[in-house]
Amino acid sequence: MTGSTRYPHVFAPLDLGFTRLKNRILMGSMHTGLEEAADGFPRMAEYFAERARGGVGMIITGGIAPNTEAGSGGKLSTPAEAEQHKLITAAVHAADPEVKICMQILHTGALAGTAACVAPSAVKSRIGRFTPNALDEDGIEKQLADFANCAALARAAGYDGVEIIGSAGYLLSTFLVEKTNLRTDQWGGSWENRMRFPVEVVRRVRAAVGEDFILIFRIAAMDMLDGGLAWDEVVSLGQAVEAAGANIISTHFCWHEAPVPTIATMVPRAAFTQVTGQLRKVLTVPVITSNRINMPAVAEAVLARGDADLVSMARPMLADPELVNKALQGREDEINTCIACNQACLDHTFGGRQQVSCLVNPRACNETLLSYPALGAGQPAKRIAVVGAGPAGLAFATVAAQRGHAVTLFDAAAEIGGQFNLARRIPGKEEFNETLRYYRRMIDLHGIALRLNTRADAGVLQAEGFDEVVVATGITPRQPDIAGINHPKVMPYIDAILGRKPVGRRVAILGAGGIGFDVAELVSHQGVSAALDVEVFAREWGIDFKNHPRGGVTGVLPQVAKSDRQVFLMQRKADALGKSLGRTTGWSHRMTLNRRGVVMVAGVDYLKIDDAGLHTLVNGEPRLFEVDSVIVCAGQTPLRALYDELQAAGIKAHLVGGAFEAAELDAKRAIDQACRLAAVV
Ligand code: FAD
Ligand code: NAP
Ligand code: SF4
């Protein structure tokens, strides 16, 4: 079956009157850090052109500020700046003249990292650096004029439209909400006054760009703020911006400061589209939905049940620029799926200076710097052995075989995946299964010879005469030197995750890195994973999708089942636990475990484990934890004996992933390192 028959709603064109979108999938806006990079424009041109070639119907750029007080990313307020943008629009239209590209106009308001930041009132955001300067009447007029100027310049630069972001805690949305808008003039107070500024922005922009230009308005359909927008306000704002000239409305969920996860991997796929569906019923223009829609079948289901006219996929386009074409050609099993980890995208954006990329696709945003060229004339294919089919070995084998090398992949285990076979068993990390599905398909597609249940040693590898060996043997868990560490109640995390040993009612987890937190999640979890059930997710995070109280959350208390187990999560450091977790997701893991009653203990000296339990000093005071099980999550050391053997035997070998360096290793680093090696081997 072809993609257009399997996904009829996805591949139905959308007629906007003056223009047409060739399908219903758009690449949502993401700030990548290229906007302000010195070599950003040529890199963005290729980054977007690659997605255009990949089949997407419409692209929205990362946010561009209309003036200096609006934020520190890219800016468009002068004709000279518009000239630079022409590189992007020309590249996209050359890649596929049918693909539309719109520029997002982003005014971050109180979240701009500058002392000159502006807002309706001088109310500092919980996550902002500065208290904003309250706009006076002239200031408001200046902002309106700057929006209109920016949009007109976007049109001059060759864009097909603009998106105005009216959500997330940025300037427009701070006019809407009472807690950030304390004004008593015509721009504050009553609801009509509070929505005046966003509606006026749309009106001015429409007047500046003319009728035959796409104007998308992004609305917070559920802002997740206690005291946020009521449903009738969301509806009246949608209808007002429609009347003011928006020809597409895009729904957004959550302000950045709201304590509810909306895009992390623990969020069920398409959890929020039902809210878009409710809004769509009362609007006349096409409506876009988003959040955790990462595969074509999910997009098709959302469109088929009438939740939206268009589906925005942002991070999935980092993970696989060819996603739409693969769906169209019936090759969806080849899609490198976004696992919603945020590790190389949003954690980089919100972490400050690091440029965005993607854990499963290190080429994302590096299209001009990292490529995987097929072997050319005079470049004979090598016979390469890859030992270890964890993320590093799989990534290397895929890229090297795709380039034309003859690759044999060994693993001692009965299945591919390495530690991802542990990760995927953690409730909330089910998406990791998709990465393994992708690599299974790549092994078939690129003719990689897979030898499972085979522990490779230097003798075997030498006998088979490989030209080069890539050692991706991973790690071995660290066993700390504690008296009683061999007591029957002690187990390494691998045994606990695989269920090789029963875990008791009272549990101590030694080590509170990523794996300690994951093990705490696993042993304190009961029932269905919230990531697989929207109702469970809504209950756990205190969201009411159906009745939609203010913000979707006002007065709705989270109902997290307390764990039947008594769990103690411990570390030696005196710091708060979880500091090493992802910037955009760590808080939600801490919150979940706290609600379940997991006790976090810092500053622990482990003295002894015996029948009575775990004997410690906590901040110097003796304390016995009377536990039945002790699960060790104390980091890892590299497993590289094979590499040393190969070196001794004079065989050319490379180290990647955990075998190269176990400290602070994650799959992002393992895959990145492996792909970069495979690109040049
Ligand atoms: P591994 O995944 O350890 O793979 C090594 C492979 O080599 C294994 O399959 C092993 O069987 C094989 N092998 C070893 N010796 C031989 C031999 N002589 N012959 C044949 N085969 C051999 N990282 C993240 O980035 N994000 C996460 O959310 C995340 N969550 C995690 C959750 C858990 C519970 C765990 C355990 C890990 C998690 N990680 C996460 C870490 C991530 O899985 C590792 O960083 C990554 O797997 C390392 O990849 P690797 O290929 O170097 O090694
Ligand atoms: P880790 O993050 O390095 O944490 C190791 C933990 O063990 C620390 O809490 C450390 O804290 C403790 N420890 C270290 N040496 C010890 C010793 N000798 N005795 C007792 N405790 C010791 O490693 P990890 O948790 O094993 O995770 C491995 C990698 O997988 C990490 O780098 C992480 O990035 C990745 N991962 C990521 C995620 C994610 O969600 N992003 C999830 C899982 C894993 P103290 O020294 O203070 O005791
Ligand atoms: Fe998706 Fe993770 Fe890649 Fe971000 S880094 S695009 S969340 S897979």
Side-chain angles (χ1 to χ4, degrees):
M1 205 191 291
T2 65
S4 48
T5 14
R6 188 173 299 168
Y7 308 114
H9 294 85
V10 165
F11 290 106
L14 179 68
D15 190 357
L16 292 174
F18 60 93
T19 191
R20 192 186 89 123
L21 305 183
K22 68 173 185 172
N23 61 48
R24 303 302 181 101
I25 295 187
L26 62 116
M27 173 176 171
S29 176
M30 284 174 287
H31 184 85
T32 60
L34 294 176
E35 296 82 0
E36 57 265 35
D39 55 354
F41 280 95
R43 288 178 65 183
M44 276 190 283
E46 187 47 32
Y47 157 70
F48 288 124
E50 191 161 314
R51 273 80 196 162
R53 283 191 292 275
V56 72
M58 180 161 70
I59 292 171
I60 317 285
T61 67
I64 301 292
N67 55 32
T68 48
E69 58 271 32
S72 55
K75 173 173 80 63
L76 177 56
S77 62
T78 65
E81 286 162 347
E83 282 303 310
Q84 296 182 301
H85 283 262
K86 285 182 181 169
L87 210 55
I88 294 176
T89 55
V92 167
H93 293 140
D96 182 344
E98 275 203 281
V99 175
K100 309 297 174 226
I101 178 156
C102 300
M103 191 192 84
Q104 187 187 75
I105 306 180
L106 170 64
H107 194 314
T108 55
L111 298 181
T114 159
C117 64
V118 297
S121 305
V123 178
K124 187 176 173 303
S125 161
R126 184 174 65 77
I127 58 169
R129 275 179 65 200
F130 298 97
T131 300
N133 302 289
L135 288 161
D136 59 15
E137 194 67 32
D138 288 347
I140 288 186
E141 182 51 40
K142 175 183 183 301
Q143 301 308 317
L144 292 169
D146 289 348
F147 267 96
N149 175 53
C150 181
L153 288 169
R155 179 163 190 153
Y159 286 106
D160 302 290
V162 288
E163 176 177 87
I164 296 166
I165 181 152
S167 52
Y170 297 136
L171 180 69
L172 272 61
S173 55
T174 53
F175 273 87
L176 296 167
V177 172
E178 279 170 335
K179 72 169 188 160
T180 47
N181 184 346
L182 312 177
R183 302 177 77 100
T184 52
D185 59 5
Q186 61 162 335
W187 306 103
S190 68
W191 169 245
E192 281 65 32
N193 284 353
R194 279 183 281 131
M195 74 169 178
R196 190 181 308 281
F197 182 79
V199 175
E200 188 59 14
V201 168
V202 173
R203 208 181 58 73
R204 297 279 185 104
V205 166
R206 176 53 78 202
V209 295
E211 291 303 313
D212 55 346
F213 196 64
I214 301 170
L215 198 172
I216 306 167
F217 185 84
R218 199 140 200 228
I219 192 171
M222 217 178 211
D223 57 31
M224 308 285 167
L225 296 176
D226 203 4
L229 294 193
W231 182 244
D232 56 349
E233 292 170 341
V234 174
V235 169
S236 91
L237 176 64
Q239 292 172 338
V241 294
E242 194 176 84
N247 43 19
I248 299 181
I249 288 183
S250 177
T251 49
H252 205 190
F253 307 94
C254 202
W255 278 29
H256 292 314
E257 65 182 73
V260 177
T262 51
I263 56 168
T265 194
M266 62 165 63
V267 177
R269 289 174 170 188
F272 291 87
T273 66
Q274 54 184 306
V275 186
T276 313
Q278 290 165 32
L279 189 60
R280 183 170 178 256
K281 288 187 193 132
V282 294
L283 297 177
T284 53
V285 297
V287 177
I288 302 174
T289 195
S290 64
N291 287 45
R292 290 285 286 117
I293 302 170
N294 61 350
M295 287 296 274
V298 186
E300 178 64 22
V302 165
L303 295 168
R305 64 173 176 260
D307 279 357
D309 302 281
L310 290 155
V311 165
S312 169
M313 291 181 164
R315 296 171 300 166
M317 295 292 164
L318 291 178
D320 195 333
E322 280 191 275
L323 184 149
V324 179
N325 277 348
K326 287 179 180 175
L328 184 62
Q329 294 156 7
R331 297 191 288 130
E332 45 283 87
D333 56 352
E334 293 174 30
I335 292 173
N336 197 1
T337 306
C338 167
I339 57 174
C341 64
N342 285 359
Q343 286 177 240
C345 52
L346 284 167
D347 283 350
H348 285 202
T349 305
F350 288 99
R353 281 170 194 77
Q354 259 179 306
Q355 189 216 289
V356 161
S357 187
C358 171
L359 179 141
V360 299
N361 173 25
R363 284 196 70 244
C365 302
N366 291 314
E367 287 75 12
T368 56
L369 308 176
L370 175 63
S371 56
Y372 307 142
L375 296 176
Q379 281 185 295
K382 295 178 187 168
R383 290 188 63 236
I384 302 176
V386 180
V387 184
L394 289 165
F396 178 89
T398 298
V399 174
Q402 176 196 321
R403 292 189 56 217
H405 292 299
V407 178
T408 303
L409 176 59
F410 295 87
D411 204 293
E415 55 185 349
I416 64 161
Q419 293 174 67
F420 262 32
N421 277 315
L422 302 174
R424 71 186 179 84
R425 289 179 157 86
I426 306 298
K429 286 196 160 176
E430 293 80 1
E431 291 287 1
F432 284 61
N433 285 305
E434 293 285 4
T435 307
L436 298 184
R437 182 266 308 144
Y438 166 75
Y439 280 123
R440 264 182 233 113
R441 179 69 187 118
M442 291 300 109
I443 288 169
D444 283 350
L445 187 69
H446 298 303
I448 296 167
L450 177 64
R451 294 207 214 154
L452 294 173
N453 300 307
T454 309
R455 181 165 292 281
D457 60 32
V460 169
L461 297 168
Q462 193 163 32
E464 296 206 26
F466 289 104
D467 297 320
E468 294 183 24
V469 178
V470 173
V471 178
T473 44
I475 52 83
T476 188
R478 179 181 288 123
Q479 186 175 9
D481 185 14
I482 303 171
I485 193 75
N486 293 317
H487 190 280
K489 69 172 65 174
V490 182
M491 67 190 89
Y493 62 83
I494 298 177
D495 288 357
I497 296 172
L498 294 179
R500 286 181 185 154
K501 244 179 148 175
V503 175
R505 289 263 162 226
R506 292 165 302 164
V507 185
I509 299 172
L510 310 195
I515 293 178
F517 265 80
D518 275 355
V519 168
E521 163 67 38
L522 180 74
V523 300
S524 66
H525 179 270
Q526 285 165 186
V528 181
S529 166
L532 301 178
D533 187 319
V534 177
E535 299 295 320
V536 175
F537 170 76
R539 264 201 312 278
E540 286 204 346
W541 289 96
I543 308 165
D544 184 344
F545 285 117
K546 299 210 167 61
N547 301 312
H548 205 306
R550 274 196 176 276
V553 294
T554 302
V556 189
L557 290 179
Q559 297 165 40
V560 180
K562 288 262 180 229
S563 173
D564 283 350
R565 288 199 171 103
Q566 171 72 75
V567 180
F568 300 95
L569 179 57
M570 306 179 174
Q571 69 181 22
R572 299 173 304 175
K573 288 185 284 289
D575 305 358
L577 272 74
K579 279 200 161 169
S580 67
L581 300 181
R583 195 177 173 94
T584 60
T585 52
W587 61 272
S588 56
H589 294 299
R590 280 191 296 272
M591 216 178 237
T592 304
L593 294 184
N594 277 325
R595 285 184 190 146
R596 286 195 193 144
V598 171
V599 179
M600 307 210 183
V601 196
V604 185
D605 270 344
Y606 310 115
L607 301 179
K608 183 173 70 168
I609 302 160
D610 61 17
D611 290 349
L614 171 66
H615 301 258
T616 68
L617 295 176
V618 178
N619 297 319
E621 295 291 318
R623 183 164 171 195
L624 168 64
F625 292 90
E626 294 177 11
V627 293
D628 320 308
S629 299
V630 174
I631 306 176
V632 180
C633 306
Q636 295 106 4
T637 52
L639 197 55
R640 61 160 67 141
L642 176 62
Y643 179 76
D644 298 335
E645 283 175 37
L646 292 167
Q647 292 287 87
I651 298 172
K652 185 166 182 188
H654 310 266
L655 274 170
V656 290
F660 174 79
E661 172 66 273
E664 292 176 21
L665 168 78
D666 59 10
K668 177 176 73 172
R669 201 182 81 205
I671 292 174
D672 183 85
Q673 188 191 23
C675 289
R676 285 175 194 280
L677 176 64
V680 295
V681 75

